[in-house]
């Protein structure tokens, strides 16, 4: 009986002209059981992947994993955009960063690290907000992958990509792959703008954060989060230390942290930290490295399938994958349907129930709490402008309408348009449905 051969050291992959991509080329050059009719294994088709340009939005917990995975999946032209700098708290899960990188740009450090480790890959960093880039910037990419911790940023890039689509230019359609994690749970989804369900269609899956009663914040806070919310909502409004609150500005967060800490000390509450303050203000949920790795792998797998057509992607049928690791490992996929009344990709006005006895201010406040809207600084138009957040001159001119009742400003069945600066040029169209009888003079005024 022959003895087993003992092998010492790692087993080297077969040598080839470029052995790094040997196993990857086996997938790209040979059809499998799920490849479709569009699959092309020619040398020319395989080499096209070298020139595809991919944009990664976010270089945090998910973004670091996504950048590494894309570089090791054969993508050679990658851009990454992130406005944040590296904090000590990032180092436990954002593995592209080291202690010496604290204070540096996430995008720039991540790009340098991956380029150094994966030869032949070019990564261009952009240390800025996604809103700072124009349409021409986004038009240059073939695929966009998001690893964001902000619903607002997701909605902005989603609406931007939908608005880019031109029926006469097939290159204007940019597949969007979005990943997100919440502790042991995560999701990945693929959006083909104007064709499949978009992120705005799925907004009701992101329930707005439960509000804490103002009386609790103002009188007897019980938790460190209450102290942060007090600083965020009450102290900021009273002292107005800066013209507007920028959640990404360290100076603004530091101001809120100091106020919250003083409030906590006053009521003998422990636990207020800078990280907690930042997390409450930005609604950040603590991340787990293993969940980030799983969701990033799913996102990059979808990018590879779209680029190579080796397998069908999530986008055209079951377009949403949900993962949960709370009690074991479980995932499932389903189709999130496109909504005809979606304010971004739909063409119908969405019904909205309105109490005609509400003031315009009360109606605007309610838009922040509606799961299907979640608008923070909306401007309202009917047949004429009802209220505009900016410019200041128009805000001042329309401010008197805030105390008027909705029944005086619009009629039952009227269509109104709502915009929000955080969502770019998107115009939310709503058809007003009065929920009760209007008790007052039925006067639909003309607003200049």
């Amino acid at each position: 009986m022959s003895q087993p051969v003992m092998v010492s050291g790692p087993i080297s992959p077969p040598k080839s002209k470029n052995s790094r991509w040997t196993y990857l080329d086996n997938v790209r050059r040979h059809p499998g059981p799920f490849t479709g009719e569009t699959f092309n294994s020619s040398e020319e088709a395989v080499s096209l992947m070298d020139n595809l340009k991919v944009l990664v939005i976010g270089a945090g917990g998910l973004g670091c994993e996504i950048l590494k995975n894309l570089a090791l999946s054969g993508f050679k032209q990658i851009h990454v955009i992130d406005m944040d700098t590296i904090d000590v708290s990032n180092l436990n899960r954002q593995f592209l960063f080291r202690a010496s990188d604290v204070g540096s740009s996430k995008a720039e450090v991540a790009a340098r690290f991956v380029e150094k480790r994966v030869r032949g890959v070019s990564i261009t960093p952009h240390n800025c907000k996604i809103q700072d880039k124009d349409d021409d910037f986004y038009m240059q990419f073939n695929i966009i992958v998001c690893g964001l911790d902000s619903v607002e940023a997701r909605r902005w890039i989603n609406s931007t990509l939908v608005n880019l689509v031109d029926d006469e230019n097939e290159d204007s359609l940019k597949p969007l792959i979005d990943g997100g994690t919440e502790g042991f749970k995560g999701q990945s989804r693929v959006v083909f703008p104007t064709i499949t369900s978009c992120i705005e269609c799925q907004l009701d899956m992101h329930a707005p954060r439960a509000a804490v009663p103002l009386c609790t914040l103002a009188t007897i806070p019980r938790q460190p989060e209450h102290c942060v919310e007090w600083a965020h909502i009450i102290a900021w409004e009273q002292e107005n230390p800066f013209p507007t609150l920028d959640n990404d500005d360290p100076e603004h967060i530091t101001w809120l942290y100091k106020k919250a800490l003083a409030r906590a000390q006053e009521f003998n509450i422990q636990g207020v930290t800078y990280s907690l303050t930042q997390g409450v203000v930005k609604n950040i949920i603590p991340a787990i490295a293993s969940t980030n790795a799983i969701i990033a792998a799913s996102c990059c797998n979808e990018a590879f399938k779209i680029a190579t057509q080796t397998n069908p992607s999530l986008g055209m049928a079951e377009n949403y994958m949900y993962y949960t690791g709370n009690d074991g490992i479980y995932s499932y996929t389903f189709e999130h349907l496109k909504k005809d009344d979606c304010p971004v990709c739909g063409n119908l006005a969405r019904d909205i129930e309105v109490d005609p006895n509400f003031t315009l201010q009360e109606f605007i406040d309610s838009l922040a709490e509606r799961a299907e809207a979640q608008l923070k600084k909306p401007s309202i138009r009917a047949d004429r402008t009802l209220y505009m957040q900016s410019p200041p001159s128009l805000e001042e001119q329309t401010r008197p309408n805030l105390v008027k009742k909705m029944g005086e400003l619009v009629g039952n069945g009227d269509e109104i348009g709502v915009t929000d600066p955080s969502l770019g040029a998107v115009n939310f169209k709503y058809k007003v449905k009065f929920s009760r009888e209007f008790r007052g003079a039925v006067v639909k005024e003309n607003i200049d």
Side-chain angles (χ1 to χ4, degrees):
M1 182 174 180
S2 61
Q3 296 296 318
V5 177
M6 303 302 292
V7 179
S8 60
I11 300 175
S12 300
K15 299 295 182 182
S16 69
K17 186 176 180 180
N18 189 351
S19 60
R20 175 185 285 276
W21 311 115
T22 298
Y23 298 122
L24 188 64
D25 285 342
N26 285 337
V27 177
R28 296 194 291 180
R29 295 178 187 279
H30 300 92
F34 301 108
T35 51
E37 296 179 358
T38 57
F39 176 71
N40 187 345
S41 61
S42 68
E43 184 68 33
E44 181 181 1
V46 171
S47 63
L48 284 176
M49 190 172 173
D50 294 342
N51 299 316
L52 289 180
K53 297 182 74 172
V54 181
L55 173 65
V56 177
I57 301 179
L62 265 179
C64 286
E65 292 279 357
I66 289 170
L67 281 172
K68 175 260 295 180
N69 289 349
L70 289 175
L72 294 174
S73 297
F75 292 96
K76 304 290 182 60
Q77 303 292 328
I78 304 172
H79 288 234
V80 57
I81 183 170
D82 195 305
M83 65 171 293
D84 285 343
T85 55
I86 299 165
D87 186 77
V88 172
S89 63
N90 303 146
L91 302 180
N92 70 325
R93 64 191 182 282
Q94 298 174 22
F95 65 96
L96 300 182
F97 310 139
R98 302 292 182 266
S100 59
D101 298 322
V102 171
S104 300
S105 161
K106 285 187 176 182
E108 293 174 2
V109 173
R112 289 197 304 267
F113 191 103
V114 176
E115 279 187 334
K116 183 178 179 181
R117 294 295 293 269
V118 185
R119 286 175 294 179
V121 174
S122 173
I123 302 182
T124 304
H126 303 273
N127 183 28
C128 61
K129 296 180 180 180
I130 57 175
Q131 293 87 349
D132 293 340
K133 298 297 186 180
D134 58 17
D135 289 351
D136 290 338
F137 173 80
Y138 293 105
M139 280 292 290
Q140 67 180 301
F141 299 104
N142 301 99
I143 301 173
I144 295 173
V145 187
C146 288
L148 291 163
D149 60 5
S150 164
V151 174
E152 289 79 10
R154 285 186 174 94
R155 296 174 72 184
W156 188 91
I157 189 63
N158 172 73
S159 63
T160 297
L161 297 183
V162 170
N163 289 333
L164 283 181
V165 175
D166 180 354
D167 293 337
E168 298 180 359
N169 178 11
E170 62 180 15
D171 292 332
S172 65
L173 192 149
K174 311 296 180 183
L176 173 64
I177 303 169
D178 175 66
T181 64
E182 293 183 357
F184 287 103
K185 299 178 181 179
Q187 52 81 22
S188 64
R189 52 187 164 183
V190 177
V191 174
F192 289 97
T194 72
I195 297 177
T196 65
S197 165
C198 77
I199 289 177
E200 200 70 32
C201 293
Q202 306 165 16
L203 185 63
D204 51 5
M205 299 185 72
H206 298 276
R209 182 173 57 184
V212 179
L214 282 177
C215 58
T216 298
L217 302 181
T219 56
I220 309 176
R222 298 183 300 275
Q223 302 173 12
E225 290 82 1
H226 294 167
C227 299
V228 176
E229 290 284 17
W230 173 85
H232 183 202
I233 297 173
I234 298 177
W236 185 280
E237 185 71 22
Q238 291 175 345
E239 301 185 31
N240 196 26
F242 301 94
T244 58
L245 174 60
D246 184 348
N247 294 343
D248 295 305
D249 190 323
E251 189 177 2
H252 293 195
I253 298 297
T254 299
W255 188 92
L256 292 173
Y257 161 61
K258 290 180 178 179
K259 286 291 180 181
L261 183 61
R263 178 78 167 173
Q265 291 171 345
E266 180 183 351
F267 288 90
N268 296 318
I269 297 174
Q270 303 295 319
V272 172
T273 63
Y274 181 90
S275 295
L276 176 73
T277 303
Q278 190 177 43
V280 171
V281 173
K282 297 181 68 174
N283 197 22
I284 296 174
I285 297 172
I288 296 173
S290 58
T291 309
N292 284 338
I294 291 169
I295 297 304
S298 175
C299 290
C300 294
N301 195 33
E302 294 306 316
F304 181 80
K305 290 190 290 185
I306 292 172
T308 63
Q309 299 297 304
T310 51
N311 280 275
S313 71
L314 279 175
M316 303 308 293
E318 295 183 328
N319 53 14
Y320 199 106
M321 189 280 289
Y322 182 79
Y323 162 80
T324 177
N326 296 58
D327 302 305
I329 298 176
Y330 176 70
S331 68
Y332 66 95
T333 60
F334 64 93
E335 181 181 6
H336 202 293
L337 297 176
K338 190 173 187 291
K339 295 181 178 178
D340 292 334
D341 63 352
C342 172
V344 173
C345 69
N347 50 23
L348 298 177
R350 177 176 292 181
D351 289 344
I352 186 168
E353 192 174 85
V354 178
D355 185 334
N357 297 293
F358 268 20
T359 64
L360 179 58
Q361 180 66 69
E362 289 174 320
F363 172 70
I364 289 175
D365 292 341
S366 73
L367 291 176
E369 301 172 1
R370 293 176 183 265
E372 79 283 0
Q374 300 184 40
L375 303 174
K376 295 186 175 180
K377 296 185 67 176
S379 298
I380 315 291
R381 273 189 66 91
D383 51 353
R384 293 174 182 257
T385 300
L386 301 183
Y387 180 70
M388 292 292 291
Q389 296 276 357
S390 62
S393 58
L394 193 52
E395 192 281 331
E396 183 179 1
Q397 183 180 350
T398 57
R399 193 184 304 157
N401 293 329
L402 293 175
V403 297
K404 296 179 180 179
K405 294 182 177 181
M406 290 296 293
E408 299 173 357
L409 300 174
V410 297
N412 191 27
D414 282 1
E415 187 173 299
I416 61 174
V418 183
T419 58
D420 193 293
S422 66
L423 300 178
V426 178
N427 182 30
F428 291 75
K429 295 179 181 179
Y430 288 107
K431 190 174 183 180
V432 173
K433 298 290 186 181
F434 283 163
S435 59
R436 64 181 69 183
E437 181 182 356
F438 175 48
R439 302 185 183 282
V442 183
V443 180
K444 184 179 176 182
E445 301 185 1
N446 290 326
I447 310 301
D448 294 329

